[in-house]
Amino acid sequence: MAGPRVVIIGAGVVGAALADELSSRGWTDVTVVDQGPLPATGGSTSHAPGLVFQTNSSKAMTELARYTVEKFRSLDLDGQPCFLEVGGLEVATTPERLDELHRRQGWLASWGIEARVIGPEECVELHPLVARERVLGGLHIPTDGLAKAVLAVEAQLRAARARGVRTLGRHEVLDIHTDDDDRVTAVVTDHGEIPADIVVCCAGIWGPKVARMVGMNLPLTPLAHQLAWTGPVPALAGQDREAIRPILRHQDADLYYRDRFDRLGIGSYGHRPMPIDADDILSVDAAEEMPSVLRFTEDDFAEAWTETQALLPATKEADVEEGINGLFSFTTDGLPLLGQSPDVKGFWVAEAVWVTHSAGVGRAMAEWLVDGHCSSFDLHECDVNRFEPHQLAPEYVLARDCQNFTEVYDILHPLQPPGAPRPLRTSPFHPRQRDLGAVFLEASGWERPQWYEANDALVAGRNIPVPGDWAARHWSPIVGAEAQATRTSVAMYDMTALKRLEVTGRGAAAFLQHLTTGNVDKSVGSVTYTLTLDHDGGIRSDVTVARLGRDHFQVGANGNLDLDWFTRHLPEDGSVQVRDITAGTCCIGLWGPTAREVLQPLADQDFSHQGLKFFRARRAHIGAVPVTAMRLSYVGELGWELYTTADMGTKLWDTLWEAGREHGIIAAGRGAFNSLRLEKGYRSFGTDMTYEHDPYEAGVGFAVKRDKADFIGKAALERRAESVTRRLTCLTIDDPGSVVMGKEPVYDGDRPVGYVTSAAFGYTIGKGIAYAWLPAELATPGRTLHIGYFGRRIPAAVAQEPLFDPSMQRLRG
């Protein structure tokens, strides 16, 4: 037996996949336990309808699904296939849905999966039960299909057993033991203890219950989802194969369908949310059918059956013969929960994973455990430690999980704000922003202005192009006016939503040197733009590190994953402390050519260029307000980030506002900010670059000091630097009405070659801007490519960056 002692809790599709993937990598001291009988244990896997649709706006989720398809296609159990590749068909019954299908086809082209938008006649050819008069078109994905989930479980467990993995059915987990160092030591079952160095919770709908055994709060809610089966459908009489038609989704009515010989399965998300507490799920022995199956509520299905008969008229000659309310896991953002507990060493979770992504998650988790990082998939969206504290509150989790259930098939705009509970987090500036007519979107729970209605008068006389319908949602011409005004006068931006960490202690400088790619061990007052890397050289984050004292640093970070990463790497000798100071502080970005004229008369320090140079910080007073001022600008203009404590935030706003009135000061929102940052070519982590990219590909190699002593990821990065095959590339679009939004495919001729990350209209340069990942050989300024946008091809030219102020004169003024 090789590797550490691993106990996997849960033998559904995820636990089975993980056992197989771990053992294939040489870790064979693995035990899989489940409270139910193997292989149909009574969890969600046992009743899942098995539909595998790969389409997803998330690149990672699509890639996890693609691997699942590839693996299941290769599996069989005693000659029975574990995957039926019948294809997938999504149909549109409204013009809005047809547009959405074009957008979804764009995602698939971006992520490298074959798919076509087809006409109604071809929809009927593929699925003859569909009423031709009801559909306007469809999206066909040939490689989608039906997973035989229980067969796949047994096939993977057999492979794992052959390598020495132990599988234990009918073993209920009662507790998880830890030692004095908060490290797992054993899993306690009703049959005794199983020693463990690593425990992976793959318990699905029971995940919150198991996680609580180690004090972990898992933001997951089991919700019932209706699945019904018809009796024999006369039009399907004689069908001797389980499935011959593509799996079908009628998302306008929250419905999906699959064959089962001469019957149809009908799944509905159109009913009311039906959440259940994990503690209230019945045991295997107490359940009428199985724990994950609740009694069918016919009244909730009535509308779904009526709509089914309209779309598939042949079902009028059949009845609903049986049905269930089956439990599945939902999360607050619709993504899985993967990773290690922040508090208990060796306790990992792989939760909220449906059959569609199960084998991919098994591989990802195996790589993460064995290698210390995942090399096949970018998991930053799925990391269980991504959540802010308020996002773990039971009220929040229940509300957002239920919302995600009701929206699972909805057409969602990229900027669409979430529903209740709101507002959650407000900066000290919030009352002033409301007075100015701020239109708020949400960022990490913060209410963040997108634009201000008070600036409406600025629009007159300006050339502010109106984008197409999709890009014009959650947009106003005021966005363009605010961007242009920033370039000509001065604007205040609320930067409070950005995560701020305080790193202190006698070992703080050495700690940050080890974690980051830049040299942060510089003089007090220095500010450094730098990166954190994973062990494989991929970018984990980009941060700014300000040295405010010999042993005192402030880090501008991207989110809770940065806090988690820093905390995990703290030295054991207590020489470094890391603290999240975001909630207790606030920040105004004061930017624009007349920013100094506003600030200097208020300050007790010299804010001339010589007095505080670019990328330097100092403490000062602005009127009566103590601030930490950093000479930074993410909009490409002269200015400062001004930090103070939350109790002084309103006073800071009022002081700057009053002094700025004679200079035409405005408050500006995130819409203008995004346009201005793209004109300067500034990257956004999580959108433009993620774990899968290295600094040289992403155009931030300048943040790596290669002659520096060792830092995390350095050796791997040096190997990756030898061959850059793709680049984050700036594209410009001449047509002002063709503003893209992100995740659209980029074509070289008819060949998809990359995808858009960030995009906006550049109100200074008068062109659309789109950053995109492209093969390095195509990233040549002047080259013409095309962006796929709702079925159209928009010409775009590769441009030299930055598009605005390449000499940096405005920033250094």
Side-chain angles (χ1 to χ4, degrees):
M1 305 288 270
R5 298 170 298 178
V6 179
V7 176
I8 299 171
I9 301 173
V13 280
V14 182
L18 178 56
D20 183 28
E21 297 283 345
L22 278 177
S23 59
S24 71
R25 286 165 174 77
W27 280 23
T28 54
D29 194 352
V30 176
T31 303
V32 183
V33 298
D34 200 293
Q35 63 185 341
L38 302 179
T41 62
S44 300
T45 299
S46 301
H47 74 259
L51 283 73
V52 177
F53 277 98
Q54 299 166 86
T55 313
N56 200 293
S57 61
S58 163
K59 182 173 184 280
M61 294 297 282
T62 298
E63 290 177 340
L64 291 168
R66 175 166 46 197
Y67 180 78
T68 301
V69 168
E70 292 170 355
K71 183 174 184 181
F72 281 11
R73 198 163 45 194
S74 70
L75 295 177
D76 72 81
L77 186 72
D78 300 329
Q80 300 179 79
C82 294
F83 188 74
L84 307 177
E85 193 173 296
V86 293
L89 177 64
E90 303 180 17
V91 294
T93 59
T94 63
E96 294 77 15
R97 181 66 63 177
L98 186 58
D99 285 344
E100 172 72 356
L101 295 187
H102 280 288
R103 187 167 74 114
R104 294 169 70 80
Q105 188 276 331
W107 296 339
L108 291 166
S110 293
W111 316 145
I113 291 180
E114 178 191 352
R116 292 186 305 122
V117 176
I118 60 177
E121 287 78 14
E122 193 169 352
C123 290
V124 176
E125 287 177 15
L126 288 168
H127 203 299
L129 298 189
V130 170
R132 162 63 183 82
E133 67 276 8
R134 285 296 311 279
V135 298
L136 303 178
L139 175 63
H140 181 227
I141 308 97
T143 52
D144 285 349
L146 289 167
K148 307 291 289 181
V150 175
L151 296 184
V153 165
E154 179 58 18
Q156 291 175 99
L157 289 180
R158 280 189 188 179
R161 288 189 201 105
R163 303 184 192 105
V165 170
R166 185 170 57 149
T167 61
L168 302 174
R170 289 284 185 177
H171 279 60
E172 182 181 1
V173 173
L174 304 176
D175 199 4
I176 298 168
H177 284 172
T178 58
D179 61 19
D180 292 340
D181 293 325
D182 290 322
R183 181 178 296 278
V184 297
T185 59
V187 172
V188 181
T189 77
D190 55 354
H191 290 270
E193 288 190 14
I194 306 171
D197 304 304
I198 293 172
V199 175
V200 187
C201 177
C202 304
I205 53 178
W206 291 279
K209 183 177 179 179
V210 173
R212 279 200 305 273
M213 295 176 184
V214 294
M216 187 176 183
N217 187 356
L218 207 60
L220 179 159
T221 303
L223 281 113
H225 157 58
Q226 290 201 304
L227 175 65
W229 295 96
T230 70
V233 179
L236 303 181
Q239 181 173 319
D240 58 359
R241 288 160 53 198
E242 179 178 352
I244 60 174
R245 276 164 290 278
I247 51 178
L248 178 68
R249 283 206 280 195
H250 176 23
Q251 291 167 298
D252 284 320
D254 298 308
L255 291 166
Y256 65 77
Y257 306 93
R258 57 149 297 176
D259 288 11
R260 188 172 71 179
F261 299 101
D262 63 348
R263 291 162 166 77
L264 285 179
I266 308 167
S268 172
Y269 292 100
H271 54 81
R272 61 191 168 90
M274 293 183 271
I276 185 171
D277 191 289
D279 291 322
D280 295 333
I281 301 172
L282 295 176
S283 68
V284 173
D285 293 325
E288 188 174 316
E289 182 175 348
M290 64 179 76
S292 63
V293 169
L294 308 181
R295 284 189 176 179
F296 189 59
T297 50
E298 293 183 9
D299 289 347
D300 290 304
F301 194 72
E303 187 176 339
W305 182 233
T306 299
E307 183 59 34
T308 294
Q309 292 175 314
L311 182 72
L312 308 174
T315 58
K316 294 178 182 178
E317 301 181 60
D319 296 312
V320 175
E321 192 170 78
E322 58 180 309
I324 63 171
N325 287 1
L327 295 176
F328 288 98
S329 300
F330 281 79
T331 62
T332 57
D333 56 9
L335 293 166
L337 308 173
L338 311 178
Q340 187 174 194
S341 161
D343 302 312
V344 177
K345 304 176 189 70
F347 184 79
W348 293 70
V349 300
E351 289 289 348
V353 181
W354 293 4
V355 173
T356 298
H357 309 101
S358 59
V361 166
R363 176 176 180 174
M365 292 298 295
E367 290 178 352
W368 201 346
L369 288 163
V370 174
D371 302 329
H373 59 86
C374 177
S375 57
S376 297
F377 309 98
D378 165 30
L379 298 180
H380 85 275
E381 295 175 307
C382 305
D383 194 311
V384 70
N385 297 295
R386 64 189 180 268
F387 301 104
E388 296 290 327
H390 73 274
Q391 293 172 321
L392 300 175
E395 177 187 349
Y396 179 95
V397 172
L398 180 60
R400 291 291 170 89
D401 288 0
C402 289
Q403 179 183 347
N404 279 327
F405 176 88
T406 60
E407 291 180 348
V408 71
Y409 280 172
D410 286 2
I411 299 171
L412 300 177
H413 191 274
L415 295 178
Q416 183 166 320
R422 278 184 72 190
L424 287 165
R425 308 173 84 182
T426 56
S427 79
F429 319 130
H430 190 253
R432 301 295 187 261
Q433 294 166 340
R434 284 186 306 181
D435 291 344
L436 293 171
V439 176
F440 293 100
L441 300 183
E442 190 192 73
S444 300
W446 292 97
E447 295 295 314
R448 184 167 66 184
Q450 191 73 0
W451 70 84
Y452 293 84
E453 291 293 337
N455 294 326
D456 182 59
L458 294 176
V459 176
R462 298 179 184 271
N463 181 20
I464 310 292
V466 177
D469 175 67
W470 187 248
R473 300 181 191 184
H474 306 290
W475 175 89
S476 165
I478 296 171
V479 169
E482 290 176 357
Q484 292 179 356
T486 304
R487 292 275 188 239
T488 58
S489 56
V490 59
M492 292 164 52
Y493 288 82
D494 183 358
M495 304 298 289
T496 303
L498 300 181
K499 174 79 76 178
R500 291 173 292 285
L501 307 178
E502 181 182 73
V503 181
T504 57
R506 56 184 170 79
F511 170 73
L512 289 169
Q513 285 288 88
H514 176 61
L515 252 62
T516 67
T517 62
N519 177 23
V520 301
D521 192 5
K522 297 186 290 191
S523 62
V524 173
S526 64
V527 182
T528 306
Y529 174 82
T530 184
L531 309 171
T532 59
L533 305 181
D534 214 328
H535 296 278
D536 65 348
I539 301 170
R540 285 197 65 95
S541 190
D542 64 336
V543 298
T544 54
V545 179
R547 190 168 201 170
L548 305 181
R550 188 186 70 174
D551 299 326
H552 183 188
F553 296 81
Q554 181 173 309
V555 178
N558 283 296
N560 214 58
L561 290 180
D562 291 320
L563 175 61
D564 180 69
W565 185 253
F566 278 40
T567 302
R568 289 186 190 280
H569 289 87
L570 284 172
E572 295 182 0
D573 61 5
S575 62
V576 182
Q577 297 80 45
V578 175
R579 187 166 67 98
D580 184 352
I581 62 171
T582 311
T585 56
C586 56
C587 178
I588 292 175
L590 182 73
W591 293 315
T594 60
R596 185 174 284 123
E597 296 170 38
V598 174
L599 189 65
Q600 186 61 76
L602 301 171
D604 65 348
Q605 299 286 330
D606 181 5
F607 279 87
S608 68
H609 177 62
Q610 293 302 321
L612 187 64
K613 293 185 177 181
F614 194 49
F615 267 79
R616 295 291 296 179
R618 70 146 47 106
R619 290 192 172 98
H621 288 88
I622 306 302
V625 182
V627 302
T628 298
M630 299 186 194
R631 180 98 184 267
L632 308 176
S633 173
Y634 286 94
V635 300
E637 295 292 339
L638 168 69
W640 302 265
E641 291 180 358
L642 303 171
Y643 297 89
T644 191
T645 52
D647 61 315
M648 297 297 292
T650 303
K651 183 62 175 176
L652 176 62
W653 179 284
D654 290 346
T655 301
L656 294 171
W657 187 259
E658 184 61 30
R661 290 174 65 181
E662 64 178 288
H663 302 285
I665 198 168
I666 65 166
R670 191 69 179 183
F673 177 94
N674 197 48
S675 170
L676 296 169
R677 77 147 179 106
L678 287 176
E679 289 182 332
K680 278 299 294 180
Y682 292 143
R683 278 60 169 148
S684 173
F685 177 80
T687 303
D688 299 316
M689 54 191 187
T690 66
Y691 293 3
E692 66 177 301
H693 306 116
D694 71 48
Y696 305 110
E697 298 172 327
V700 289
F702 63 87
V704 178
K705 302 305 179 188
R706 299 183 72 170
D707 59 350
K708 176 183 162 182
D710 194 35
F711 53 83
I712 291 176
K714 182 181 181 183
L717 182 60
E718 288 175 346
R719 293 190 295 270
R720 292 176 69 152
E722 297 172 1
S723 176
V724 175
T725 60
R726 58 183 175 178
R727 293 193 184 278
L728 184 62
T729 306
C730 180
L731 303 174
T732 58
I733 302 166
D734 288 334
D735 179 6
S738 298
V739 177
V740 301
M741 299 290 294
K743 302 187 178 181
E744 297 88 359
V746 179
Y747 292 89
D748 181 27
D750 292 329
R751 180 173 61 109
V753 292
Y755 59 92
V756 173
T757 57
S758 294
F761 191 80
Y763 297 101
T764 313
I765 67 167
K767 294 184 178 183
I769 306 168
Y771 272 77
W773 280 101
L774 297 175
E777 65 272 15
L778 298 181
T780 306
R783 189 181 191 105
T784 298
L785 301 168
H786 288 82
I787 298 173
Y789 190 60
F790 289 98
R792 297 187 292 127
R793 299 288 174 89
I794 298 171
V798 177
Q800 188 73 44
E801 58 172 333
L803 299 170
F804 178 77
D805 189 28
S807 65
M808 304 281 282
Q809 290 181 351
R810 296 172 76 99
L811 282 167
R812 300 180 185 278

